[in-house]
Amino acid sequence: MAAGTYDRPSGYTGDRTAIRGAIIGRVERNVAMIRQLADGGEPTFQRMLPWAADLERSGSQVAELPDAFWQRPGR
């Protein structure tokens, strides 16, 4: 994610579209690990597969958000 700063009155000052990439990357890594461990026979992670599917759907929804969503309000 691009480096940015947080300024209390105005909020995050970096590239807000980079946040989308960070969210999607985190979702992909988490889902991949859950599936890998579930496929390896870990019962806890096998029980997490429905949650991983929900997480993946949420990541897809984030990916579909238009660039305008990530812009600061009033800009």
Side-chain angles (χ1 to χ4, degrees):
M1 183 159 88
T5 60
Y6 183 82
D7 178 34
R8 193 153 189 83
S10 59
Y12 182 74
T13 60
D15 177 11
R16 291 170 178 264
T17 58
I19 296 169
R20 172 179 44 206
I23 292 169
I24 293 167
R26 175 77 54 99
V27 165
E28 290 171 348
R29 287 188 301 277
N30 286 340
V31 169
M33 285 306 301
I34 291 167
R35 288 192 174 138
Q36 179 182 343
L37 292 166
D39 290 347
E42 293 289 337
T44 299
F45 291 92
Q46 290 172 342
R47 289 189 300 272
M48 289 178 68
L49 286 172
W51 181 83
D54 289 342
L55 183 60
E56 193 168 43
R57 275 190 297 280
S58 296
S60 294
Q61 291 171 348
V62 168
E64 293 170 2
L65 291 170
D67 287 345
F69 174 85
W70 301 99
Q71 302 308 309
R72 281 184 52 193
R75 296 250 166 153

